[in-house]
Amino acid sequence: MERDSNIGISGKAAKSGKTIFANNVYENSDYHILRQDIKAQLSIPLIFENKILVVLSIEHSNPDVFTKPTISLLEELVRNAGRVVERADLVDSLSLRENKRREALKLVQEVGQKILYATSETEIFSTVVNATLELFNKISNSHNIAYLGIIKERNIYIDPRYQMAEIYPALLKKIGKNFNPNRNPLNKKGIMGRVIDYKKSERIGNIKDDIDYIEINTGMNSQLSVPVLLNDVVVAIISIEQEKYHAFDIIDQEALEALAIIVALALNNIEHEKEREIRLLWAAHEMHTPLVGLRSNTEIIRKKVENLDDEELKYIAFRTYKLVEKTEMQIATSMAILGESEPKTPEFSRHSIYRPLVEACEMFEAEANHKGIEIR
């Protein structure tokens, strides 16, 4: 057997990546003599992912033993060994990827909580960059830079409150506070500009070769930009860059996209809360204000009829006064529900709640007028 993989028949098989055999080694100039009793040798390389892992060499003391059927059979055995190696590598690769995906998802949930707890749009956006850095510093264990673009009417606004302090001057110099991707004098829309156009993430392995790339920070070679979509509109873009080429894989993209979804949920919650406050203000104005006048009028009616001998009018006045109290309770219930529903739904409209009270007042006035009693 030949010991040096760079010489002899096995060395030639390793260099060429092909099966090399000699049925009479003494007639083959490549053979490196190690044992005098060897007459024939067969060397077959095992190739995996275009790399030669090992060379299987078989030596025999008899000449002319390696026939074509024998060689074909041994080559198939080596190929099968290659498939076993490939499967083992695939299993290892899938296992590593699954572990990374699981860890990334866990980290997204951790940093995402900080965003979901935010109580204003400003607080949400202020948290995003730090959350992104925290996420990727743990995933990649490499130096990353992150920045956030707020999208308004297809313009990218770079707000200093939401950026890394060390790269904000570069952002300001390269693209300014208000960047229009379609009107850039450099004739480049930036990778974020493409995200606006297509509403899809951009994962670039070598940003220097990208026609739209605008260099923000020297030394960065990979970029991942993900849109924050609210009602199918890009409202923000989260971007992260790294020094390594092809630094971000599909798991990194999925992780940042998951973080973007959390941001969208937080923004939606804030918007829902604003709408709820508007509904409650509407309810207060539409329902409570008229009730003040009604309560005052029914109180006057009740006092006016106290000294009258007409029990029917007293009853109507009392019933009207009680209807005011009932209406107040209905309004309190409606206010609570209106905080969670559309304002002017029929079942909670001002007219439906006040109708019994108004009808009672009208009945009382009609009865008093019929009896010649003026109530003012």
Side-chain angles (χ1 to χ4, degrees):
M1 183 177 179
E2 296 168 318
R3 303 299 173 88
D4 192 339
S5 62
N6 294 315
I7 61 172
I9 293 173
S10 61
K12 188 173 182 179
K15 290 177 182 178
S16 66
K18 298 178 181 179
T19 298
I20 305 293
F21 72 97
N23 273 322
N24 187 343
V25 294
Y26 294 104
E27 294 178 357
N28 190 306
S29 59
D30 292 316
Y31 181 66
H32 182 66
I33 301 174
L34 292 175
R35 289 173 51 184
Q36 296 294 333
D37 59 332
I38 298 301
K39 300 295 189 294
Q41 181 177 337
L42 170 67
S43 293
I44 306 172
L46 191 158
I47 302 173
F48 174 66
E49 291 186 346
N50 296 320
K51 294 180 181 178
I52 298 169
L53 298 183
V54 294
V55 175
L56 174 66
S57 290
I58 303 172
E59 298 173 341
H60 206 280
S61 57
N62 296 325
D64 301 317
V65 293
F66 298 118
T67 62
K68 284 186 178 181
T70 303
I71 294 171
S72 297
L73 177 63
L74 291 171
E75 284 179 331
E76 182 61 28
L77 288 172
V78 171
R79 278 194 292 271
N80 286 335
R83 292 186 190 106
V84 171
V85 172
E86 183 178 4
R87 289 193 190 97
D89 182 78
L90 180 61
V91 169
D92 288 344
S93 177
L94 288 173
S95 178
L96 288 171
R97 288 184 62 176
E98 190 56 36
N99 287 339
K100 181 181 178 181
R101 180 176 277 110
R102 194 180 298 112
E103 182 64 22
L105 180 60
K106 180 182 175 183
L107 290 169
V108 168
Q109 290 172 337
E110 288 177 4
V111 300
Q113 289 297 319
K114 299 173 184 177
I115 296 171
L116 287 173
Y117 287 146
T119 56
S120 68
E121 186 178 282
T122 301
E123 190 179 348
I124 290 170
F125 287 141
S126 298
T127 310
V128 170
V129 167
N130 286 337
T132 302
L133 286 171
E134 184 179 345
L135 174 64
F136 279 89
N137 287 344
K138 289 179 179 177
I139 291 177
S140 62
N141 197 27
S142 300
H143 174 62
N144 300 284
I145 65 168
Y147 45 95
L148 179 72
I150 309 300
I151 314 304
K152 296 179 181 178
E153 298 179 352
R154 297 181 65 81
N155 285 2
I156 303 172
Y157 288 82
I158 303 298
D159 193 316
R161 294 175 296 174
Y162 312 142
Q163 314 303 332
M164 295 173 64
E166 58 267 36
I167 70 161
Y168 177 69
L171 282 166
L172 199 62
K173 182 179 179 181
K174 296 290 184 178
I175 65 176
K177 286 185 178 181
N178 181 6
F179 174 69
N180 188 312
N182 297 316
R183 297 177 189 168
N184 184 20
L186 299 174
N187 200 27
K188 291 183 175 184
K189 63 171 56 184
I191 293 171
M192 287 196 297
R194 287 210 304 266
V195 174
I196 296 174
D197 287 345
Y198 300 112
K199 300 179 183 178
K200 292 182 179 179
S201 302
E202 289 278 349
R203 176 162 47 97
I204 313 299
N206 185 352
I207 49 182
K208 302 295 170 54
D209 290 342
D210 192 289
I211 191 170
D212 286 320
Y213 175 65
I214 300 170
E215 187 177 66
I216 304 297
N217 204 46
T218 56
M220 296 292 129
N221 294 298
S222 298
Q223 179 172 334
L224 176 60
S225 292
V226 168
V228 176
L229 290 165
L230 199 58
N231 299 321
D232 201 38
V233 175
V234 180
V235 296
I237 298 173
I238 309 170
S239 290
I240 186 160
E241 296 183 17
Q242 198 178 113
E243 296 168 330
K244 295 177 183 176
Y245 289 98
H246 303 283
F248 306 112
D249 59 19
I250 186 63
I251 298 175
D252 297 319
Q253 182 176 326
E254 289 172 353
L256 193 55
E257 285 173 344
L259 194 66
I261 290 171
I262 291 173
V263 173
L265 286 172
L267 291 172
N268 187 62
N269 289 342
I270 296 296
E271 189 63 29
H272 179 73
E273 187 60 29
K274 287 179 182 176
E275 291 176 359
R276 182 175 179 276
E277 288 175 4
I278 291 170
R279 286 195 290 269
L280 290 173
L281 287 172
W282 172 87
H285 179 268
E286 289 288 297
M287 293 181 174
H288 277 298
T289 304
L291 190 64
V292 173
L294 282 170
R295 173 176 274 281
S296 176
N297 287 336
T298 53
E299 180 67 19
I300 291 170
I301 289 171
R302 195 168 66 88
K303 287 181 178 179
K304 285 277 186 182
V305 299
E306 274 181 358
N307 299 323
L308 296 177
D309 294 331
D310 196 317
E311 294 299 322
E312 187 178 359
L313 279 179
K314 286 183 178 180
Y315 171 73
I316 294 173
F318 176 75
R319 179 173 173 271
T320 305
Y321 187 77
K322 283 296 182 182
L323 275 171
V324 172
E325 293 181 346
K326 182 180 178 182
T327 304
E328 286 178 327
M329 291 184 66
Q330 282 184 297
I331 287 173
T333 304
S334 300
M335 289 273 292
I337 297 173
L338 282 167
E340 304 298 332
S341 63
E342 291 301 319
K344 297 186 179 180
T345 53
E347 60 269 34
F348 299 115
S349 69
R350 176 178 61 178
H351 302 295
S352 65
I353 287 178
Y354 289 138
R355 188 176 295 116
L357 185 56
V358 171
E359 287 176 352
C361 289
E362 289 173 349
M363 182 190 299
F364 177 84
E365 187 175 1
E367 184 68 20
N369 289 337
H370 176 69
K371 294 185 178 184
I373 301 171
E374 186 178 354
I375 303 294
R376 288 287 184 269

